[in-house]
Amino acid sequence: MPEKPGQGAVPVRGPVRQVAGYRTNGCTVLELRGDVDIVTALRITPDLDAATASAAPRVVVDLNAVTFLDASGLTLLCRIHRRTREQGGRLTMACGRPRTLRILRLTGLDSRFRPVPTLAEAISLHEGPAGLR
């Protein structure tokens, strides 16, 4: 994966880029965008699986550009979390959007993911022991 944001390390099939993947500070950042629904989940699951396949991945999921999140999107987030843990890695999440945070809270997933408001903050959690295991 490239080291700079915007160089799309996670190839996405189809004309709409709903995920950008890149590496920074030793972390793989997965920036989800727009509607994360069943169509999106089916389209990007293979790419996200590839991004979480390495040994002990340090993964940051950025939801700050997500405008809609349904059950399929929540399932996708749980899959990223599970695959990261199975590989002995750590996951952190950035989300400052009230709507998305409300969905995470209502489903109880806020306690699993423990989102922080900014991408920088989520990346910084990988520097200490506080990252999600």
Side-chain angles (χ1 to χ4, degrees), residues 15-16 18 37 70-71 73 81 100 104 119 122 125:
V16 178
Q18 290 161 312
D37 55 18
D70 73 1
H81 176 250
T100 305
L104 293 173
L119 178 59
L125 290 175

Side-chain angles (χ1 to χ4, degrees), residues 4-133:
K4 296 180 183 175
Q7 289 186 348
V10 178
V12 176
R13 296 167 185 89
V16 178
R17 291 195 52 109
Q18 290 161 312
V19 64
Y22 56 91
R23 291 199 44 84
T24 187
N25 295 347
C27 297
T28 299
V29 176
L30 301 172
E31 179 186 318
L32 303 181
R33 301 175 182 152
D35 293 352
V36 182
D37 55 18
I38 190 166
V39 173
T40 303
L42 290 171
R43 181 181 303 136
I44 67 176
T45 292
D47 302 313
L48 297 179
D49 283 354
T52 57
S54 65
R58 294 170 44 181
V59 178
V60 178
V61 176
D62 185 355
L63 300 179
N64 282 310
V66 170
T67 55
F68 176 79
L69 185 66
D70 73 1
S72 298
L74 294 171
T75 300
L76 184 68
L77 295 176
C78 291
R79 180 183 182 96
I80 295 167
H81 176 250
R82 179 182 50 79
R83 288 180 53 84
T84 301
R85 280 191 20 213
E86 286 174 352
Q87 296 294 340
R90 296 170 64 187
L91 172 82
T92 59
M93 182 177 287
C95 183
R97 296 182 68 93
R99 273 184 144 171
T100 305
L101 288 169
R102 182 171 186 256
I103 291 167
L104 293 173
R105 188 176 58 254
L106 289 172
T107 58
L109 291 174
D110 61 330
S111 63
R112 175 183 288 182
F113 299 127
R114 296 189 302 260
V116 294
T118 67
L119 178 59
E121 197 173 345
I123 291 170
S124 74
L125 290 175
H126 284 279
E127 296 170 3
L132 196 62
R133 294 182 191 262

